[in-house]
Amino acid sequence: MKRFIDAALASGWLWLLARLCLAVVFVSSGLAKLIDYEGGLREMRAAGLSPDWLFNLLTAFTLLAGATLLLLDRALWLGAGALALFLLATILVVHTFWRFDGAQAQLSLFFALEHVSVIGGLLAAAIASHARRTILTVGSLIATCRG
């Protein structure tokens, strides 16, 4: 059983699945802002962001570009960093639980905590991507030296 788990954790398919799971929320939200453009504009106005069209497009671009970098595992650190900063900004602008009372404060707090958890996942993905590249590079160097 240990061999199976070790092989799965080192596999490319599980690494891809992890990145897919992490990216799905960003891809769906970014596409939603483009497909339901008016809905995206309403979101921006509700958050007090103006001009709404610019913030909607910048948000969609950030979400989709960051998710693409995650999925491709190219400059994953950049995509993860951009998405983490986006989530942090969202907490500070939209999910301001400290400004509300009762059920609204609780709901905003839950969203903020969820965002913090996803930020942790993004950081973990950036660390894992770096570690995987380092391991592959060292492995190639060892194989070349033996070769």
Side-chain angles (χ1 to χ4, degrees), residues 134-147:
T134 301
I135 289 167
L136 290 173
T137 301
V138 170
S140 292
L141 288 172
I142 292 171
T144 302
C145 290
R146 288 183 180 166

Side-chain angles (χ1 to χ4, degrees), residues 84-102:
L85 289 174
F86 172 81
L87 290 173
L88 183 60
T90 301
I91 292 170
L92 297 174
V93 173
V94 179
H95 304 301
T96 53
F97 57 89
W98 55 91
R99 296 172 59 179
F100 301 118
D101 292 319

Side-chain angles (χ1 to χ4, degrees), residues 1-134:
M1 182 61 125
K2 183 178 179 339
R3 262 191 299 177
F4 172 77
I5 292 171
D6 287 344
L9 291 174
S11 70
W13 66 266
L14 190 59
W15 176 227
L16 175 60
L17 179 61
R19 296 189 332 267
L20 282 168
C21 289
L22 192 54
V24 71
V25 68
F26 300 110
V27 171
S28 61
S29 182
L31 288 176
K33 288 182 181 15
L34 297 177
I35 293 168
D36 180 14
Y37 189 74
E38 287 302 318
L41 295 178
R42 281 191 300 275
E43 280 183 41
M44 299 306 135
R45 286 191 296 268
L49 300 172
S50 181
D52 55 358
W53 63 269
L54 179 62
F55 279 98
N56 191 57
L57 291 177
L58 288 174
T59 297
F61 174 79
T62 301
L63 294 171
L64 294 172
T68 299
L69 292 174
L70 285 178
L71 291 170
L72 295 176
D73 195 12
R74 298 286 182 258
L76 189 143
W77 63 270
L78 178 61
L83 293 170
L85 289 174
F86 172 81
L87 290 173
L88 183 60
T90 301
I91 292 170
L92 297 174
V93 173
V94 179
H95 304 301
T96 53
F97 57 89
W98 55 91
R99 296 172 59 179
F100 301 118
D101 292 319
Q104 190 176 10
Q106 186 177 30
L107 184 60
S108 285
L109 176 62
F110 290 157
F111 278 115
L113 292 174
E114 179 183 278
H115 283 21
V116 170
S117 295
V118 175
I119 290 169
L122 290 165
L123 293 172
I127 292 166
S129 177
H130 176 73
R132 289 176 64 85
R133 289 193 191 287
T134 301

